[in-house]
Amino acid sequence: MIFDFTTAGESHGRALVATIEGLPAGLVIDQGFINHELWRRQQGYGRGGRMKIESDTIQILSGVRQGETLGSPVAIMVENKDFMNWLEVMAAEKVNTPPERDRKVIRPRPGHADLVGGLKYDRHDLRDILERASARETTMRVAVGAFAKLLLREFDMLIASHVINLGEISIENQNADWGQIEAVYDDTMLRCTDKEAEARMIARIDRAGVEEGDTLGGIFEVVAKGCLPGLGSHISWTAKIDGQLAQAVMSIHAVKAVEIGEGVTNASKPGSQVHDEICYNNDTRLFGRLSNRAGGLEGGMTNGEEVRVRGYLKPIATLRKRLRSVNIETKEPMDSDFERSDVTAVPAAGVIGEAMVAIVLARAMREKFGGDSLGEMKRNFESYRQQLIEY
Ligand code: EPS
């Protein structure tokens, strides 16, 4: 059974739901950990009013009994507290809402799914598009990612992230180590390892939000520690795990570029300054690398070093400073719609990035080590680890 998931739910609808398939039986599910991951996604300086309404908590509907997975599909739900303010607008049944309360959206926002979605699905109230296009959906990615993280922890694989750039401001040391990144795991501001740069970023967010009515993008980095060599494969394009990671991270709202390791700067350096030289540890009897510019990935496979993936976000498309648009009913030029917005969501995107990386790695682990129960999976894992030692 392949590890996979589906989400459903609109931003202001009753609830967000997900189903997860392919978890082994016997995995201990710590709901406190899952809720803590959801809490982490809701933090970050620069979020808007919505996060004051929601306090995301998971309800497990199936697939878990007495704290352990059964091997059957897991169904989960997070209620939208804001739904109470949208009962008429988001009702599943037909409700004749007067125009002053129907919250119809007819002035598409540049950079959002509004216009293209409306054209493609032939919807003339763009709310039908934006409700699903909203990054609210990422709540469920983080919930599913928390299940993936719980599985990976059984194999000593840990995942964290940090913010390396916001707007035009970058942290000084771009190669923060695992200890530094883990230390900011529960930070509520920007999850930067460089507090001096973080203070400047906070001031920049204040300026953008309060003075300029604008929004800001940035870059986060996800680091996965403890991956054995050999997840993914060189044998075909779909099996290459760097490609899978790129797709998974690119699918996060507003992410417009993905970098593996130091992929961007590597492109302008000679090979001798890029490729990570190989060493051998006689004590652990494992191969290693003298550097990790490849971000732990070679030939579409993990190579045993830390996996490092960066996501680059464009600024959020809902901004107070209105951009030029067109009224889809009259076709007249008009400014785009604005209700409320975050100034930036880069720290939240980092948490979502962790979830997507966890999901890809969990899927690769399930594919390689199989097993219907966690015990069977662990035995298969142990036998492969022995193979690496005896190589
Ligand atoms: C979002 C718009 C805002 C964000 C939302 C994503 O929501 P609202 O329209 O209700 O003010 O707060 O993010 C979340 C709700 C969340 O949970 O992250 C958008 O248009 O993408």
Side-chain angles (χ1 to χ4, degrees):
M1 176 68 80
I2 301 273
F3 177 81
D4 210 352
F5 75 102
T6 311
T7 75
E10 279 72 46
S11 181
H12 305 99
R14 184 178 298 278
L16 303 162
V17 296
T19 54
I20 311 167
E21 285 190 302
L23 283 169
L27 176 66
V28 173
I29 299 303
D30 175 355
Q31 293 195 44
F33 172 76
I34 299 168
N35 286 331
H36 185 71
E37 291 291 290
L38 293 176
W39 172 85
R40 289 180 64 233
R41 194 198 70 93
Q42 293 199 273
Q43 306 311 304
Y45 196 73
R47 299 300 306 267
R50 180 73 186 275
M51 287 305 98
K52 294 188 179 70
I53 300 173
E54 307 295 342
S55 53
D56 297 335
T57 42
I58 191 182
Q59 293 178 51
I60 299 180
L61 308 177
S62 78
V64 180
R65 197 181 143 254
Q66 302 285 326
E68 290 190 16
T69 53
L70 305 176
S72 53
V74 173
I76 55 176
M77 176 170 90
V78 171
E79 282 180 31
N80 284 322
K81 290 216 170 68
D82 205 15
F83 178 60
M84 296 314 293
N85 304 317
W86 295 79
L87 287 171
E88 280 181 309
V89 175
M90 295 305 293
E93 64 279 11
K94 176 88 184 136
V95 177
N96 285 319
T97 317
E100 67 275 13
R101 288 212 312 273
D102 69 6
R103 310 288 293 262
K104 196 171 180 187
V105 177
I106 52 172
R107 297 175 297 170
R109 291 161 295 175
H112 218 283
D114 302 346
L115 179 60
V116 191
L119 293 168
K120 177 175 164 66
Y121 287 87
D122 198 18
R123 306 309 295 170
H124 295 258
D125 177 356
L126 301 178
R127 181 161 301 286
D128 288 350
I129 305 305
L130 72 87
E131 282 291 334
R132 181 61 183 161
S134 164
R136 179 84 187 131
E137 185 260 347
T138 59
T139 308
M140 299 322 281
R141 313 248 204 132
V142 171
V144 175
F147 280 82
K149 280 187 174 182
L150 287 172
L151 176 68
L152 296 175
R153 281 178 170 208
E154 296 288 337
F155 301 89
D156 297 324
M157 293 164 70
L158 297 174
I159 298 176
S161 71
H162 64 132
V163 170
I164 61 176
N165 169 285
L166 202 127
E168 63 279 15
I169 303 163
S170 296
I171 60 169
E172 187 76 34
N173 170 22
Q174 299 271 314
N175 292 313
D177 64 27
W178 172 262
Q180 292 170 300
I181 297 166
E182 201 183 28
V184 297
Y185 193 80
D186 285 332
D187 267 20
T188 55
M189 298 301 268
L190 296 178
R191 278 208 332 290
C192 277
T193 55
D194 174 343
K195 294 300 167 196
E196 191 274 323
E198 186 174 272
R200 283 188 287 127
M201 290 174 189
I202 289 168
R204 181 70 189 91
I205 293 169
D206 285 340
R207 203 169 86 227
V210 179
E211 291 170 32
E212 298 162 0
D214 219 330
T215 55
L216 295 167
I219 310 169
F220 63 81
E221 180 177 58
V222 178
V223 182
K225 187 176 173 288
C227 302
L228 285 187
L231 297 178
S233 176
H234 63 291
I235 60 165
S236 76
W237 71 274
T238 51
K240 286 177 182 267
I241 203 165
D242 45 3
Q244 294 171 11
L245 287 165
Q247 198 276 332
V249 174
M250 185 70 95
S251 77
I252 300 169
H253 304 66
V255 171
K256 290 293 127 197
V258 179
E259 179 179 13
I260 305 277
E262 295 172 30
V264 172
T265 48
N266 284 350
S268 50
K269 288 182 189 167
S272 57
Q273 287 173 34
V274 168
H275 300 297
D276 305 305
E277 291 176 295
I278 299 170
C279 56
Y280 185 75
N281 185 324
N282 283 306
D283 297 329
T284 60
R285 293 166 67 189
L286 291 172
F287 292 92
R289 296 292 187 284
L290 298 171
S291 54
N292 186 23
R293 289 182 283 258
L297 295 154
E298 287 173 309
M301 292 171 278
T302 54
N303 66 4
E305 301 298 312
E306 284 172 358
V307 170
R308 287 189 176 241
V309 185
R310 290 174 178 181
Y312 290 60
L313 276 88
K314 67 179 180 182
I316 286 168
T318 311
L319 47 155
R320 199 149 45 78
K321 183 193 267 180
R322 313 259 174 137
L323 299 178
R324 280 175 292 180
S325 183
V326 172
N327 179 317
I328 59 168
E329 291 177 349
T330 64
K331 312 294 188 289
E332 293 290 318
M334 258 184 205
D335 285 349
S336 54
D337 260 315
F338 175 78
E339 280 167 15
R340 66 183 172 200
S341 175
D342 305 325
V343 177
T344 190
V346 181
V351 177
I352 303 155
E354 290 173 33
M356 294 312 293
V357 168
I359 288 163
V360 171
L361 293 175
R363 194 172 59 193
M365 289 287 286
R366 293 295 292 137
E367 203 173 275
K368 181 146 180 59
F369 302 113
D372 295 311
S373 68
L374 183 62
E376 188 181 3
M377 186 179 175
K378 281 191 173 175
R379 287 194 297 279
N380 297 342
F381 176 84
E382 230 13 84
S383 137
Y384 178 67
R385 224 159 61 98
Q386 208 50 42
Q387 173 188 314
L388 296 179
I389 290 166
E390 286 166 14
Y391 178 81

